[in-house]
mmCIF file with all atom_site columns, all heavy atoms in Angstrom:
data_model
loop_
_atom_site.group_PDB
_atom_site.id
_atom_site.type_symbol
_atom_site.label_atom_id
_atom_site.label_alt_id
_atom_site.label_comp_id
_atom_site.label_asym_id
_atom_site.label_entity_id
_atom_site.label_seq_id
_atom_site.pdbx_PDB_ins_code
_atom_site.Cartn_x
_atom_site.Cartn_y
_atom_site.Cartn_z
_atom_site.occupancy
_atom_site.B_iso_or_equiv
_atom_site.pdbx_formal_charge
_atom_site.auth_seq_id
_atom_site.auth_comp_id
_atom_site.auth_asym_id
_atom_site.auth_atom_id
_atom_site.pdbx_PDB_model_num
ATOM 1   N N   . GLU A 1 56  ? -75.038 -16.224 20.097 1.00 87.00 ? 56  GLU A N   1
ATOM 2   C CA  . GLU A 1 56  ? -74.337 -15.065 19.533 1.00 87.00 ? 56  GLU A CA  1
ATOM 3   C C   . GLU A 1 56  ? -72.901 -15.310 19.277 1.00 87.00 ? 56  GLU A C   1
ATOM 4   O O   . GLU A 1 56  ? -72.314 -16.025 19.956 1.00 87.00 ? 56  GLU A O   1
ATOM 5   C CB  . GLU A 1 56  ? -74.767 -13.773 20.263 1.00 87.00 ? 56  GLU A CB  1
ATOM 6   C CG  . GLU A 1 56  ? -76.083 -13.329 19.925 1.00 87.00 ? 56  GLU A CG  1
ATOM 7   C CD  . GLU A 1 56  ? -76.509 -12.280 20.859 1.00 87.00 ? 56  GLU A CD  1
ATOM 8   O OE1 . GLU A 1 56  ? -76.797 -12.510 22.108 1.00 87.00 ? 56  GLU A OE1 1
ATOM 9   O OE2 . GLU A 1 56  ? -76.612 -11.044 20.474 1.00 87.00 ? 56  GLU A OE2 1
ATOM 10  N N   . SER A 1 195 ? -78.111 -19.421 -1.974 1.00 80.00 ? 195 SER A N   1
ATOM 11  C CA  . SER A 1 195 ? -78.355 -20.532 -2.873 1.00 80.00 ? 195 SER A CA  1
ATOM 12  C C   . SER A 1 195 ? -77.342 -21.696 -2.561 1.00 80.00 ? 195 SER A C   1
ATOM 13  O O   . SER A 1 195 ? -77.774 -22.851 -2.665 1.00 80.00 ? 195 SER A O   1
ATOM 14  C CB  . SER A 1 195 ? -78.192 -20.127 -4.298 1.00 80.00 ? 195 SER A CB  1
ATOM 15  O OG  . SER A 1 195 ? -76.829 -19.772 -4.575 1.00 80.00 ? 195 SER A OG  1
ATOM 16  N N   . GLN A 1 199 ? -77.568 -25.884 -0.900 1.00 85.00 ? 199 GLN A N   1
ATOM 17  C CA  . GLN A 1 199 ? -76.911 -27.050 -1.580 1.00 85.00 ? 199 GLN A CA  1
ATOM 18  C C   . GLN A 1 199 ? -76.067 -27.803 -0.518 1.00 85.00 ? 199 GLN A C   1
ATOM 19  O O   . GLN A 1 199 ? -76.191 -29.050 -0.360 1.00 85.00 ? 199 GLN A O   1
ATOM 20  C CB  . GLN A 1 199 ? -75.835 -26.671 -2.532 1.00 85.00 ? 199 GLN A CB  1
ATOM 21  C CG  . GLN A 1 199 ? -76.487 -26.021 -3.848 1.00 85.00 ? 199 GLN A CG  1
ATOM 22  C CD  . GLN A 1 199 ? -75.325 -25.458 -4.664 1.00 85.00 ? 199 GLN A CD  1
ATOM 23  O OE1 . GLN A 1 199 ? -74.228 -25.579 -4.484 1.00 85.00 ? 199 GLN A OE1 1
ATOM 24  N NE2 . GLN A 1 199 ? -75.744 -24.780 -5.725 1.00 85.00 ? 199 GLN A NE2 1
ATOM 25  N N   . ARG A 1 226 ? -83.389 -24.889 12.675 1.00 88.00 ? 226 ARG A N   1
ATOM 26  C CA  . ARG A 1 226 ? -84.662 -25.617 12.731 1.00 88.00 ? 226 ARG A CA  1
ATOM 27  C C   . ARG A 1 226 ? -84.855 -26.715 11.698 1.00 88.00 ? 226 ARG A C   1
ATOM 28  O O   . ARG A 1 226 ? -85.389 -27.717 11.803 1.00 88.00 ? 226 ARG A O   1
ATOM 29  C CB  . ARG A 1 226 ? -85.820 -24.554 12.474 1.00 88.00 ? 226 ARG A CB  1
ATOM 30  C CG  . ARG A 1 226 ? -87.177 -25.205 12.375 1.00 88.00 ? 226 ARG A CG  1
ATOM 31  C CD  . ARG A 1 226 ? -88.207 -24.115 12.535 1.00 88.00 ? 226 ARG A CD  1
ATOM 32  N NE  . ARG A 1 226 ? -89.523 -24.735 12.443 1.00 88.00 ? 226 ARG A NE  1
ATOM 33  C CZ  . ARG A 1 226 ? -90.325 -24.746 11.315 1.00 88.00 ? 226 ARG A CZ  1
ATOM 34  N NH1 . ARG A 1 226 ? -89.918 -24.046 10.241 1.00 88.00 ? 226 ARG A NH1 1
ATOM 35  N NH2 . ARG A 1 226 ? -91.532 -25.151 11.266 1.00 88.00 ? 226 ARG A NH2 1
ATOM 36  N N   . LYS A 1 246 ? -85.845 -30.227 19.157 1.00 90.00 ? 246 LYS A N   1
ATOM 37  C CA  . LYS A 1 246 ? -85.964 -28.931 18.338 1.00 90.00 ? 246 LYS A CA  1
ATOM 38  C C   . LYS A 1 246 ? -87.416 -28.348 18.455 1.00 90.00 ? 246 LYS A C   1
ATOM 39  O O   . LYS A 1 246 ? -87.598 -27.290 18.726 1.00 90.00 ? 246 LYS A O   1
ATOM 40  C CB  . LYS A 1 246 ? -85.683 -29.254 16.872 1.00 90.00 ? 246 LYS A CB  1
ATOM 41  C CG  . LYS A 1 246 ? -86.133 -28.237 15.915 1.00 90.00 ? 246 LYS A CG  1
ATOM 42  C CD  . LYS A 1 246 ? -85.830 -28.739 14.508 1.00 90.00 ? 246 LYS A CD  1
ATOM 43  C CE  . LYS A 1 246 ? -86.752 -29.898 14.170 1.00 90.00 ? 246 LYS A CE  1
ATOM 44  N NZ  . LYS A 1 246 ? -86.551 -30.392 12.893 1.00 90.00 ? 246 LYS A NZ  1
ATOM 45  N N   . GLU A 1 267 ? -88.286 -12.949 8.580  1.00 84.00 ? 267 GLU A N   1
ATOM 46  C CA  . GLU A 1 267 ? -88.851 -13.994 7.690  1.00 84.00 ? 267 GLU A CA  1
ATOM 47  C C   . GLU A 1 267 ? -89.097 -13.254 6.327  1.00 84.00 ? 267 GLU A C   1
ATOM 48  O O   . GLU A 1 267 ? -89.315 -12.134 6.174  1.00 84.00 ? 267 GLU A O   1
ATOM 49  C CB  . GLU A 1 267 ? -90.129 -14.355 8.307  1.00 84.00 ? 267 GLU A CB  1
ATOM 50  C CG  . GLU A 1 267 ? -90.120 -15.336 9.475  1.00 84.00 ? 267 GLU A CG  1
ATOM 51  C CD  . GLU A 1 267 ? -89.922 -16.702 8.971  1.00 84.00 ? 267 GLU A CD  1
ATOM 52  O OE1 . GLU A 1 267 ? -90.846 -17.272 8.361  1.00 84.00 ? 267 GLU A OE1 1
ATOM 53  O OE2 . GLU A 1 267 ? -88.927 -17.417 9.181  1.00 84.00 ? 267 GLU A OE2 1
ATOM 54  N N   . LEU A 1 281 ? -83.734 -7.472  22.036 1.00 82.00 ? 281 LEU A N   1
ATOM 55  C CA  . LEU A 1 281 ? -82.904 -7.438  23.190 1.00 82.00 ? 281 LEU A CA  1
ATOM 56  C C   . LEU A 1 281 ? -82.196 -6.024  23.111 1.00 82.00 ? 281 LEU A C   1
ATOM 57  O O   . LEU A 1 281 ? -81.741 -5.592  22.160 1.00 82.00 ? 281 LEU A O   1
ATOM 58  C CB  . LEU A 1 281 ? -81.897 -8.464  23.183 1.00 82.00 ? 281 LEU A CB  1
ATOM 59  C CG  . LEU A 1 281 ? -82.328 -9.833  23.673 1.00 82.00 ? 281 LEU A CG  1
ATOM 60  C CD1 . LEU A 1 281 ? -81.323 -10.826 23.571 1.00 82.00 ? 281 LEU A CD1 1
ATOM 61  C CD2 . LEU A 1 281 ? -82.965 -9.705  25.057 1.00 82.00 ? 281 LEU A CD2 1
ATOM 62  N N   . ASP A 1 284 ? -75.529 -5.031  24.258 1.00 78.00 ? 284 ASP A N   1
ATOM 63  C CA  . ASP A 1 284 ? -74.695 -6.009  23.503 1.00 78.00 ? 284 ASP A CA  1
ATOM 64  C C   . ASP A 1 284 ? -74.357 -7.154  24.431 1.00 78.00 ? 284 ASP A C   1
ATOM 65  O O   . ASP A 1 284 ? -74.556 -7.000  25.595 1.00 78.00 ? 284 ASP A O   1
ATOM 66  C CB  . ASP A 1 284 ? -73.395 -5.243  23.088 1.00 78.00 ? 284 ASP A CB  1
ATOM 67  C CG  . ASP A 1 284 ? -73.744 -4.242  22.176 1.00 78.00 ? 284 ASP A CG  1
ATOM 68  O OD1 . ASP A 1 284 ? -74.366 -4.503  21.024 1.00 78.00 ? 284 ASP A OD1 1
ATOM 69  O OD2 . ASP A 1 284 ? -73.339 -3.092  22.495 1.00 78.00 ? 284 ASP A OD2 1
ATOM 70  N N   . GLU B 2 47  ? -76.605 -12.612 -5.166 1.00 86.00 ? 47  GLU B N   1
ATOM 71  C CA  . GLU B 2 47  ? -75.525 -13.427 -4.483 1.00 86.00 ? 47  GLU B CA  1
ATOM 72  C C   . GLU B 2 47  ? -74.308 -12.730 -4.410 1.00 86.00 ? 47  GLU B C   1
ATOM 73  O O   . GLU B 2 47  ? -74.126 -11.673 -5.150 1.00 86.00 ? 47  GLU B O   1
ATOM 74  C CB  . GLU B 2 47  ? -75.327 -14.596 -5.288 1.00 86.00 ? 47  GLU B CB  1
ATOM 75  C CG  . GLU B 2 47  ? -76.276 -15.797 -4.917 1.00 86.00 ? 47  GLU B CG  1
ATOM 76  C CD  . GLU B 2 47  ? -76.137 -17.101 -5.706 1.00 86.00 ? 47  GLU B CD  1
ATOM 77  O OE1 . GLU B 2 47  ? -76.673 -17.011 -6.932 1.00 86.00 ? 47  GLU B OE1 1
ATOM 78  O OE2 . GLU B 2 47  ? -75.519 -17.979 -5.175 1.00 86.00 ? 47  GLU B OE2 1
ATOM 79  N N   . SER B 2 161 ? -68.649 -2.176  20.594 1.00 81.00 ? 161 SER B N   1
ATOM 80  C CA  . SER B 2 161 ? -68.985 -3.520  20.041 1.00 81.00 ? 161 SER B CA  1
ATOM 81  C C   . SER B 2 161 ? -69.383 -3.354  18.688 1.00 81.00 ? 161 SER B C   1
ATOM 82  O O   . SER B 2 161 ? -69.535 -2.237  18.174 1.00 81.00 ? 161 SER B O   1
ATOM 83  C CB  . SER B 2 161 ? -70.158 -4.045  20.906 1.00 81.00 ? 161 SER B CB  1
ATOM 84  O OG  . SER B 2 161 ? -71.307 -3.323  20.618 1.00 81.00 ? 161 SER B OG  1
ATOM 85  N N   . THR B 2 193 ? -79.528 -10.866 17.013 1.00 84.00 ? 193 THR B N   1
ATOM 86  C CA  . THR B 2 193 ? -80.259 -9.889  18.020 1.00 84.00 ? 193 THR B CA  1
ATOM 87  C C   . THR B 2 193 ? -79.801 -8.432  17.640 1.00 84.00 ? 193 THR B C   1
ATOM 88  O O   . THR B 2 193 ? -80.677 -7.628  17.704 1.00 84.00 ? 193 THR B O   1
ATOM 89  C CB  . THR B 2 193 ? -79.904 -10.192 19.439 1.00 84.00 ? 193 THR B CB  1
ATOM 90  O OG1 . THR B 2 193 ? -78.517 -10.206 19.630 1.00 84.00 ? 193 THR B OG1 1
ATOM 91  C CG2 . THR B 2 193 ? -80.440 -11.617 19.900 1.00 84.00 ? 193 THR B CG2 1
ATOM 92  N N   . GLN B 2 197 ? -81.880 -5.171  16.140 1.00 85.00 ? 197 GLN B N   1
ATOM 93  C CA  . GLN B 2 197 ? -81.806 -3.728  16.585 1.00 85.00 ? 197 GLN B CA  1
ATOM 94  C C   . GLN B 2 197 ? -81.630 -2.827  15.564 1.00 85.00 ? 197 GLN B C   1
ATOM 95  O O   . GLN B 2 197 ? -82.270 -1.696  15.568 1.00 85.00 ? 197 GLN B O   1
ATOM 96  C CB  . GLN B 2 197 ? -80.679 -3.589  17.611 1.00 85.00 ? 197 GLN B CB  1
ATOM 97  C CG  . GLN B 2 197 ? -80.806 -4.463  19.047 1.00 85.00 ? 197 GLN B CG  1
ATOM 98  C CD  . GLN B 2 197 ? -79.544 -4.344  19.766 1.00 85.00 ? 197 GLN B CD  1
ATOM 99  O OE1 . GLN B 2 197 ? -78.647 -3.575  19.448 1.00 85.00 ? 197 GLN B OE1 1
ATOM 100 N NE2 . GLN B 2 197 ? -79.490 -5.120  20.966 1.00 85.00 ? 197 GLN B NE2 1
ATOM 101 N N   . SER B 2 224 ? -87.467 -7.847  3.748  1.00 87.00 ? 224 SER B N   1
ATOM 102 C CA  . SER B 2 224 ? -88.943 -7.976  3.415  1.00 87.00 ? 224 SER B CA  1
ATOM 103 C C   . SER B 2 224 ? -89.687 -6.972  4.138  1.00 87.00 ? 224 SER B C   1
ATOM 104 O O   . SER B 2 224 ? -90.591 -6.340  3.681  1.00 87.00 ? 224 SER B O   1
ATOM 105 C CB  . SER B 2 224 ? -89.351 -9.402  3.621  1.00 87.00 ? 224 SER B CB  1
ATOM 106 O OG  . SER B 2 224 ? -89.244 -9.743  5.010  1.00 87.00 ? 224 SER B OG  1
ATOM 107 N N   . ARG B 2 265 ? -86.965 -21.824 6.690  1.00 81.00 ? 265 ARG B N   1
ATOM 108 C CA  . ARG B 2 265 ? -87.866 -20.873 7.391  1.00 81.00 ? 265 ARG B CA  1
ATOM 109 C C   . ARG B 2 265 ? -88.069 -21.253 8.794  1.00 81.00 ? 265 ARG B C   1
ATOM 110 O O   . ARG B 2 265 ? -88.097 -22.430 9.239  1.00 81.00 ? 265 ARG B O   1
ATOM 111 C CB  . ARG B 2 265 ? -89.111 -20.747 6.696  1.00 81.00 ? 265 ARG B CB  1
ATOM 112 C CG  . ARG B 2 265 ? -89.002 -20.078 5.347  1.00 81.00 ? 265 ARG B CG  1
ATOM 113 C CD  . ARG B 2 265 ? -90.251 -20.057 4.593  1.00 81.00 ? 265 ARG B CD  1
ATOM 114 N NE  . ARG B 2 265 ? -89.845 -19.618 3.201  1.00 81.00 ? 265 ARG B NE  1
ATOM 115 C CZ  . ARG B 2 265 ? -90.673 -18.712 2.571  1.00 81.00 ? 265 ARG B CZ  1
ATOM 116 N NH1 . ARG B 2 265 ? -91.607 -18.218 3.119  1.00 81.00 ? 265 ARG B NH1 1
ATOM 117 N NH2 . ARG B 2 265 ? -90.301 -18.418 1.394  1.00 81.00 ? 265 ARG B NH2 1
ATOM 118 N N   . GLY B 2 268 ? -93.946 -22.419 9.449  1.00 72.00 ? 268 GLY B N   1
ATOM 119 C CA  . GLY B 2 268 ? -94.436 -23.168 8.356  1.00 72.00 ? 268 GLY B CA  1
ATOM 120 C C   . GLY B 2 268 ? -93.980 -24.456 8.404  1.00 72.00 ? 268 GLY B C   1
ATOM 121 O O   . GLY B 2 268 ? -93.278 -24.910 9.424  1.00 72.00 ? 268 GLY B O   1
ATOM 122 N N   . GLU B 2 270 ? -92.046 -27.950 8.037  1.00 67.00 ? 270 GLU B N   1
ATOM 123 C CA  . GLU B 2 270 ? -90.622 -28.189 8.010  1.00 67.00 ? 270 GLU B CA  1
ATOM 124 C C   . GLU B 2 270 ? -90.451 -29.577 7.587  1.00 67.00 ? 270 GLU B C   1
ATOM 125 O O   . GLU B 2 270 ? -91.250 -30.341 7.430  1.00 67.00 ? 270 GLU B O   1
ATOM 126 C CB  . GLU B 2 270 ? -89.996 -28.017 9.551  1.00 67.00 ? 270 GLU B CB  1
ATOM 127 C CG  . GLU B 2 270 ? -90.676 -28.933 10.456 1.00 67.00 ? 270 GLU B CG  1
ATOM 128 C CD  . GLU B 2 270 ? -89.716 -29.419 11.547 1.00 67.00 ? 270 GLU B CD  1
ATOM 129 O OE1 . GLU B 2 270 ? -88.492 -29.652 11.066 1.00 67.00 ? 270 GLU B OE1 1
ATOM 130 O OE2 . GLU B 2 270 ? -90.042 -29.643 12.629 1.00 67.00 ? 270 GLU B OE2 1
ATOM 131 N N   . ILE B 2 277 ? -80.455 -24.143 -5.662 1.00 83.00 ? 277 ILE B N   1
ATOM 132 C CA  . ILE B 2 277 ? -80.112 -23.903 -7.051 1.00 83.00 ? 277 ILE B CA  1
ATOM 133 C C   . ILE B 2 277 ? -78.783 -24.510 -7.276 1.00 83.00 ? 277 ILE B C   1
ATOM 134 O O   . ILE B 2 277 ? -77.795 -24.255 -6.448 1.00 83.00 ? 277 ILE B O   1
ATOM 135 C CB  . ILE B 2 277 ? -79.962 -22.298 -7.309 1.00 83.00 ? 277 ILE B CB  1
ATOM 136 C CG1 . ILE B 2 277 ? -81.093 -21.634 -6.730 1.00 83.00 ? 277 ILE B CG1 1
ATOM 137 C CG2 . ILE B 2 277 ? -79.787 -22.134 -8.906 1.00 83.00 ? 277 ILE B CG2 1
ATOM 138 C CD1 . ILE B 2 277 ? -80.980 -20.085 -6.781 1.00 83.00 ? 277 ILE B CD1 1
#
Side-chain angles (χ1 to χ4, degrees):
Chain A
E56 280 169 286
S195 70
Q199 294 172 8
R226 171 168 183 260
K246 170 185 63 184
E267 281 279 295
L281 282 182
D284 297 303
Chain B
E47 276 176 283
S161 71
T193 58
Q197 291 174 10
S224 62
R265 296 177 187 226
E270 62 141 325
I277 314 172

